[in-house]
Amino acid sequence: TSLDPRVGYEEIELGLKGYFNDRRYMPDPKGSMKARKEIVKLYKDISLKIDDILITASTSESYNLIFSSLLKHNDIILLPKPSYPLFEHLARYSRVRVRYYDLVIRNGQWRIDIDSIKVDDKRIKAIVLITPNNPTGMVTHKEDMEAVKKIVEDKDLYLIIDEVFSSYVYKGEHIYPDTNQNVFILNGISKSLALPDLKLAWIGVKGRDKEKMIDKLETANDTYLNCSYLVQELLPKILRSSVNFRKKWIEILKENREELKRFLSKEKNIFG
């Protein structure tokens, strides 16, 4: 099964022409109102507001803004192991330290080893949940989310939820913690819409101190204004045009997964 990349983006082509015919550069440190309105529609279940969203050029930049704006030199963040080998570099550039908690297999399912998070160190300021996780594919289990929620509440930690793969969940349910603790939700169009070259991501901010946190993040974001206003202007059209593509991608991924399962089953029979 394949997709023709030339088909389906006619609306975006028209949007490009309209943009260049009527350009107005009115930078907003949180990102354009039009784009943030579209992003908020994705979070109806958790009541994120337009002013709770900050647009960045990438999820990596989102991490950097959080680390550099809200953490201090040598503060510690807890990261899952295994995970994608990027976060250590982001932490180092922001002058924060990394410690790991373990992902383990229980009854054929990846779970968080909660005991590995219960570290008594006052330098720990944030826990990062990558759900679904790369490379394990783990979607955070409800029981584990409740346990993590209790830890961040008891220790007054930031909770960073990296959900860039949340559009591609095979089993389980992508969930958010019910808490008044300070939570950052990171996503973008690189993975969810398979558009890494267009460079648009966002941070959703929740929690009791959100106004103070947003103010700091907004100031940092205003320093760079990295995300192209062309992409922000086109985001509503990009989201509409991607609906049918996303369904097709899911079908392809499911086919690939079933083929992999068949292959592994044969390998198991061959090697005993």
Side-chain angles (χ1 to χ4, degrees), residues 31-32 43 63 76 84 143 188 205 207 239 246-248 253 257:
S32 78
Y43 294 98
Y63 275 110
I76 295 173
Y84 188 70
E143 290 181 7
V205 185
L239 289 171
R246 192 198 299 267
K247 293 177 182 177
K248 195 66 177 177
L253 288 171
R257 184 170 185 263

Side-chain angles (χ1 to χ4, degrees), residues 86-137:
L86 166 69
F87 308 103
E88 297 87 349
H89 300 291
L90 295 173
R92 185 171 69 250
Y93 294 144
S94 301
R95 302 295 189 268
V96 298
R97 294 182 178 272
V98 168
R99 187 173 289 173
Y100 299 94
Y101 63 89
D102 296 322
L103 305 182
V104 296
I105 297 177
R106 295 192 186 122
N107 300 320
Q109 184 179 21
W110 283 98
R111 298 286 298 270
I112 296 174
D113 179 6
I114 298 300
D115 287 338
S116 66
I117 296 181
K118 295 177 180 178
V119 181
D120 189 16
D121 189 333
K122 295 187 183 302
R123 294 175 299 169
I124 297 173
K125 301 300 180 183
I127 298 175
V128 178
L129 290 183
I130 304 169
T131 178
N133 176 267
N134 180 10
T136 67

Side-chain angles (χ1 to χ4, degrees), residues 28 30-33 36-37 40 47-55 203-206 210-211 213-215 217-218:
D28 186 320
K30 287 183 178 177
S32 78
M33 182 67 71
R36 285 186 286 133
K37 282 182 178 178
V40 162
S47 302
L48 273 181
K49 300 176 182 177
I50 293 172
D51 284 338
D52 300 338
I53 300 290
L54 294 100
I55 294 177
I203 306 171
V205 185
K206 289 177 60 66
K210 73 176 182 180
E211 285 80 11
M213 296 187 299
I214 288 172
D215 183 63
L217 292 169
E218 185 178 354

Side-chain angles (χ1 to χ4, degrees), residues 52 57 64 76 111 116 131 156 163 219 228 230 246 261:
D52 300 338
N64 180 259
I76 295 173
R111 298 286 298 270
S116 66
T131 178
D156 192 23
E163 60 168 19
T219 300
S228 163
L230 168 60
R246 192 198 299 267
K261 286 168 65 177

